[in-house]
Amino acid sequence: MRIGLIGTGRIGTFHSAALVRNAAVSSLVIADVDAARAADLAARTGATAVSSVDEVFAAGVDAVVITAATSAHAALIARAARAGLPVFCEKPIALDLPGTLAALAEVEAAGTVLQLGFQRRFDAGYTAAREAVRAGRLGRLHTVRAVTSDPAPPPAAYLPLSGGLYRDCLVHDFDILRWVTGREVTEVYATGSDLGPVMFREAGDVDTAAAVLTLDDGTLATATATRCNGAGYDVRMELAGELDQLGVGTDERTPLTSAEPTGPAAPVKPWPGFLERFAPAYEAELAAFVDVVRGERINPCDGREALHALRIAEACELSRRERRLVHMAEIPESPQEE
């Protein structure tokens, strides 16, 4: 199988290594707006670097992996769909609903595959939690708590391009909340704080956020995120039911110190970032995509799944901005509703 990869930044570099290791991938063709960076990556991995996206599509590839800048995702997805090629794309499809819906329309019209990069669906802890909830081992689920905390803010130049904390960061929590529980969000109330570095206020973003979400069976969920968690990279989920409680992301590297005299001390080596924490999950999602292209597996995270998570993020941003409860029915699901 010949795969084209567009974008050789941090996540593109990681994905290229995973694809080169996959026995089903015979060759990898890579391109980037920074041609020198693509050439350097190709030299290190044994891939073939080309000078443009046009050359990727002309190289006779069987599928495309998109890890380019977010602003390029929708157009590249549409181009691949029109070429009849399966696509794996890092989230998001686009930073707004119209762009997302337009790209999805291209994929659906072409009848091609679009798999989105929500890697937490491939993490062992979240998978075990999903199985426990679906098997009823927790009893009636009444509370879910989700946490995503970055150890340091991203570069200031990234913030205006990110879509904001809800769309860029918490969207992972919204996706995994739906995936683990099997329920839909019906309403949200969200708030945020921009009291950290001034670059957040300048970008109209927040550095810390919290949302209360009501699921369609009455379960209550909270989701919090921050860009300023000096202790380390902290991603967790707690699920509480009438019979038991279960936690995801709590291990010897969780950047959390107990205040209790007999509790665990600070971790010796806390998680420094998302690539280290989710390395096996990133590898597994690319392996799943290769299986999908080969016709050996059903798409585990299609574009409509990404749309659901984005709609929740949009609802949270609207709630924060207008300081009110937002019902999911207010957020369009199709171009006709806009």
Side-chain angles (χ1 to χ4, degrees):
M1 179 187 303
R2 189 168 173 83
I3 291 183
L5 182 141
I6 302 170
T8 59
R10 183 167 50 163
I11 193 64
T13 297
F14 191 94
H15 283 339
S16 68
L19 290 166
V20 167
R21 286 192 295 268
N22 192 303
V25 178
S26 58
S27 61
L28 182 66
V29 181
I30 62 176
D32 193 279
V33 291
D34 184 338
R37 185 169 67 180
D40 177 67
L41 179 60
R44 289 186 282 115
T45 61
T48 300
V50 294
S51 59
S52 68
V53 171
D54 289 344
E55 290 186 55
V56 172
F57 282 95
V61 296
D62 301 298
V64 176
V65 172
I66 299 171
T67 53
T70 295
S71 59
H73 287 188
L76 289 171
I77 289 169
R79 180 170 182 177
R82 291 192 293 270
L85 293 173
V87 174
F88 174 93
C89 184
E90 278 300 322
K91 66 83 189 164
I93 294 173
L95 288 177
D96 59 16
L97 280 171
T100 299
L101 293 168
L104 288 177
E106 292 270 12
V107 172
E108 290 166 4
T112 52
V113 168
L114 171 61
Q115 180 182 328
L116 264 291
F118 282 109
Q119 86 285 352
R120 295 186 194 182
R121 294 180 176 221
F122 297 87
D123 177 73
Y126 285 110
T127 299
R130 173 185 164 98
E131 292 171 354
V133 170
R134 303 302 179 88
R137 292 199 292 273
L138 305 184
R140 182 186 68 84
L141 197 64
H142 52 74
T143 309
V144 182
R145 294 175 285 271
V147 174
T148 294
S149 300
D150 288 333
Y158 173 75
L159 292 179
L161 309 175
S162 71
L165 191 58
Y166 297 104
R167 300 183 189 95
D168 180 53
C169 185
L170 275 166
V171 71
H172 281 286
D173 297 275
F174 302 148
D175 176 72
I176 206 65
L177 175 64
R178 296 180 60 251
W179 190 75
V180 168
T181 65
R183 313 305 310 191
E184 298 294 345
V185 174
T186 59
E187 59 186 33
V188 308
Y189 183 83
T191 188
S193 168
D194 62 1
L195 299 179
V198 67
M199 63 182 182
F200 289 96
R201 292 185 289 282
E202 293 173 346
D205 196 7
V206 294
D207 59 76
T208 303
V212 178
L213 308 102
T214 302
L215 307 189
D216 57 13
D217 64 347
T219 300
L220 296 180
T222 60
T224 64
T226 184
R227 301 286 199 185
C228 306
N229 196 57
Y233 182 71
D234 188 12
V235 171
R236 286 178 283 127
M237 174 179 273
E238 298 172 358
L239 300 112
E242 291 184 334
L243 298 180
D244 204 356
Q245 289 195 107
L246 191 63
V248 178
T250 303
D251 59 21
E252 72 279 358
R253 300 191 68 180
T254 303
L256 183 67
T257 304
S258 174
E260 300 298 333
T262 58
V268 174
K269 190 178 180 182
W271 292 111
F274 63 91
L275 283 179
E276 294 83 2
R277 165 67 177 84
F278 288 111
Y282 281 118
E283 184 105 15
E285 72 176 355
L286 264 294
F289 176 63
V290 171
D291 289 344
V292 169
V293 176
R294 288 161 58 91
E296 298 173 354
R297 178 171 181 167
I298 296 172
N299 189 347
C301 187
D302 67 23
R304 286 285 160 184
E305 294 293 286
L307 174 62
H308 289 309
L310 177 61
R311 289 181 64 246
I312 299 169
E314 291 284 333
C316 286
E317 184 58 47
L318 179 61
S319 175
R320 179 188 75 85
R321 190 168 62 247
E322 298 187 358
R323 303 184 67 83
R324 67 176 178 88
L325 182 74
V326 173
H327 297 276
M328 287 306 303
E330 298 178 51
I331 310 300
E333 289 187 77
S334 65
Q336 292 74 28
E337 297 177 27
E338 291 186 271

